[in-house]
Amino acid sequence: MITTSELPFSSITALAERYRRGETSPVEVMRLLLDRIDRLDPRLRAFITVAADQAMADAVEAWGRLTRGDGSPLVGIPIAVKDSITTKGIRTTANSRVLEDWVPDRDAAAVERLREVGAIVIGKTNLNEFGWSIPREDDLCPPPRNPWNPGLAAVGSSSGSGVAVAAGLCSAALGTDGGGSVRLPAGQMGLVGVKPTHALVSRRGVLHAGSIGGVGVLARTVADAAILLNVLASSGGEDPDAAPRAAADYMQALNGDLRGVRIGVPWSYIDAIPVEAEVCAAFDAAVAGLERLGAMVGPVDLRSLEHARAANFVVLVAEHYTAHEARLAAQWPQYGRSARLYTAMGAFVAASDYLRAKEVGRLVGSDVDAALRTVDALAMPTSPVVTAEAARRPDAHRRGINASFTAPFNLTGHAAFSVPCGMSAVGLPIGFQIVGRRYDESVLFHIAHAFEQATTWHALRPQDRAIVGDRS
Amino acid sequence: MSQRFASKASFREAVAALGLPVSDDEFEALWEMVQGVHDQADSLRWYLNERDADR
């Protein structure tokens, strides 16, 4: 019999099974999670808005669906949604005073899909203001703490989504990722982070996704991420950038070892980045683990990724300003100090800079495509650093160094996952990233699942007493 | 360091032309940030030239 201390950390698959066996109900789970949010979130700050009343009403409805035999694996599953993804009837602020009281009248496409299959939106999660700033204590909602070590910040921009899943305040969460904003918090909080192929998940209703951002998933297990992407993935037509494709069942990929799987490591690029020693050690161990599972691991030359990182930064800067141009001057005081400067920076990017950055994306994308014709996936660390504090050093943050391994694949549009692979001395998890061909998420699910089954990193969890007891 | 603006004064004029009400300390921070993104944009121009020369 599962205890109330274990229930909040159930995987989606385990929770759905308990619902079907009648061992618990969506109402019971929702009460438990709302109680945990009451106790833990004043310290963690994962949520900007908790949709308690609506979530309880949805839990009652979900229980009805289950008793009528609804077989969807997401009926009654509590999902948190990053507050830059619109939710009908629930305030959507993007953690900005500019949108402090905005209640959308329509769900984003991703939220709509989740609700259709019975998932419950438990609340809206914290983020860097508009996903593009260094968080500050005077933000609309101050920055989240990392549940693994509440003395440290949670990295973003989908920081609240990562905290909510890691701390057992929901089953999984939606985030957005324009340079690593799903994969980086997933890596730092011991979660599976999925940035799908560009536009595989419709971006309708995502605030300022631009040409390289999109919806991603933060989950406790690879299977949970596969269940969510099965629902979220579009078969084309919903997002103007999406290519038509046959629907895939990612659960089918969760089997077997890695014999015959070829994995390329861009060592020449990794060695050129200032990667912390603990991250290097965890990544080396992950590579050895992949080899033990039968994968053939070898080097690939992708030094051009360095230019994709810089190009991604230029594109983000330019597109972010464009999205805010009409209101920035008039509402300057309502933007946080960091957000308004990060936004204003883009006013000084020339059209030629932007077009060159996009051209670099096209060229590096073809380099990655060429590499992925010789291997099935690429592997590298998710983040060069362990802590958000290191990632946010102004000199490094303004050049996007913290996103060295993640940002290139926003620009090129390839699928990229972060998978837990280690633990640092300060008690924060470490992740590694695998990258696959566009629309070939199944290969990444196969690799991630095999690695997860052979390791125990995903089974670790932060301790509640460290969260409520640490007031330092 | 990138030199898109002849001087800080000309950058200040560009900021004012956009109507952005930046304070003095915000102006200094924005100046540094803009120099940084210009450096990155310049690195892309050099990279594309290099890559073009290799073809």
Side-chain angles (χ1 to χ4, degrees), chain A residues 82 129 191 334 459:
Chain A
K82 186 177 184 178
E129 184 171 352
L191 305 172
Q334 289 166 265

Side-chain angles (χ1 to χ4, degrees), chain A residues 337-378:
Chain A
R337 178 191 150 89
S338 173
R340 61 196 181 214
L341 294 180
Y342 266 78
T343 305
M345 175 168 49
F348 306 98
V349 173
S352 54
D353 294 329
Y354 178 78
L355 292 172
R356 269 193 289 271
K358 296 295 273 187
E359 174 64 2
V360 169
R362 191 186 65 78
L363 290 169
V364 177
S366 64
D367 293 345
V368 175
D369 287 340
L372 288 169
R373 282 193 287 275
T374 65
V375 295
D376 299 299
L378 307 173

Side-chain angles (χ1 to χ4, degrees), chain A residues 304 307 309-311 313 321 328-329 332 337 340-342 344-345 347-348 353 356-357 360 363 367 398-399, chain B residues 4-5 11 14-15 18-22 25-26 29-30 32-34 37-38 40-41 43-45 47-48 51:
Chain A
S304 61
H307 305 286
R309 175 195 58 73
F313 189 78
Y321 174 71
L328 181 63
W332 185 260
R337 178 191 150 89
R340 61 196 181 214
L341 294 180
Y342 266 78
M345 175 168 49
F348 306 98
D353 294 329
R356 269 193 289 271
V360 169
L363 290 169
D367 293 345
R398 286 175 196 164
R399 291 180 294 134
Chain B
R4 304 282 182 99
F5 293 97
F11 179 61
V15 172
L18 289 168
L20 302 176
V22 298
D25 67 320
E26 285 177 338
L30 185 59
E32 292 296 321
M33 292 164 76
V34 169
V37 74
H38 285 169
Q40 300 215 47
S43 77
L44 300 178
R45 183 165 49 193
Y47 171 64
L48 288 174
R51 193 151 170 159

Side-chain angles (χ1 to χ4, degrees), chain A residues 3 8 60 70 74 82 139 172 253 276 295 385 388 393 403-405 414 426 452:
Chain A
T3 67
V60 171
D70 189 323
L74 288 174
K82 186 177 184 178
D139 287 343
E276 290 178 350
V385 297
R393 285 180 193 129
S404 291
F405 297 120
H414 291 85
V426 292
E452 180 185 78

